[in-house]
Amino acid sequence: MTDTTHNRDQVADFDAFFAEQNEPRFGATLRLYGREYVLPTSLPLLFTLQMERVQNSTEPDDIRRLLASLFGPAALDEWADHGMTDRQLGVVLLWSAANAREPGCLSISEAVELYDEQEAAKEEGGEGKAPHPTPKTIADVSGKQS
C-alpha cells in the first residue's frame, strides 16, 4: 500500500528551485528613439496574460498595458510622441517578442519581412490592412518555437 499522506514539514520551495535554475533575467537590448530597452529572457506572465485577454483588440489602452510589462508604462506614449507609425510599432513588437524568448533569433530586417508578409496575407484574405498591430499579431510571433 502506498503512503498518500504528506509530511507537512516538507515544503515545495520554488524560490530555491528557480534560483538554482540560474536563468539569466535579461537578454536582447534594443535602442529606440535614443533610449535602450533590455528585454527579459522570457516573456513576463503579465505580457502573456494580457496578450490572451486582448488578442484581437486595436484599442490603444490595451496595447499600452501590454507594452508596459516589457518597456515600461510610458513607452507607447513616448514612441507616439516621436512619430512612430503602425508599421514601425508592428516591427518592434514582432522583433521584441521573438528575441525575448531567444535573443538573436530574428533580425530587424527579418521582422520587417515577417510584418509585411502578415499584412499582405490580411489584404489577400479580404480583411484589409489593420490600423495598427494587435496583440494577436504579437502572439503569433512570440509563440514561435525554435
Side-chain angles (χ1 to χ4, degrees):
M1 183 169 154
T2 306
D3 183 9
T4 57
T5 61
H6 297 280
N7 182 347
R8 293 184 191 257
D9 294 332
Q10 291 180 330
V11 175
D13 189 348
F14 280 92
D15 290 337
F17 176 75
F18 292 146
E20 287 173 9
Q21 299 303 303
N22 202 19
E23 181 179 302
R25 298 197 37 90
F26 301 102
T29 301
L30 66 104
R31 183 176 301 118
L32 187 57
Y33 302 116
R35 183 171 174 194
E36 288 191 357
Y37 299 90
V38 180
L39 297 174
T41 55
S42 61
L43 295 174
L45 178 61
L46 184 59
F47 183 88
T48 305
L49 293 174
Q50 283 289 100
M51 205 164 27
E52 286 295 317
R53 189 181 72 73
V54 298
Q55 217 170 48
N56 295 309
S57 175
T58 57
E59 291 298 316
D61 284 340
D62 289 338
I63 303 294
R64 185 175 288 108
R65 280 190 293 274
L66 185 67
L67 289 176
S69 62
L70 283 182
F71 302 106
L76 184 61
D77 295 324
E78 289 173 15
W79 298 350
D81 288 346
H82 281 93
M84 179 178 263
T85 66
D86 62 326
R87 183 171 184 263
Q88 290 169 335
L89 176 61
V91 171
V92 168
L93 294 179
L94 290 173
W95 183 92
S96 298
N99 283 285
R101 290 186 188 265
E102 185 181 340
C105 73
L106 186 71
S107 70
I108 294 172
S109 59
E110 290 170 331
V112 168
E113 211 174 294
L114 183 57
Y115 179 83
D116 289 345
E117 286 173 8
Q118 288 179 350
E119 290 302 300
K122 285 180 190 177
E123 288 177 8
E124 289 173 11
E127 294 179 27
K129 189 169 181 174
H132 48 77
T134 66
K136 172 103 174 84
T137 306
I138 303 162
D140 291 344
V141 171
S142 68
K144 171 181 147 183
Q145 299 296 316
S146 54

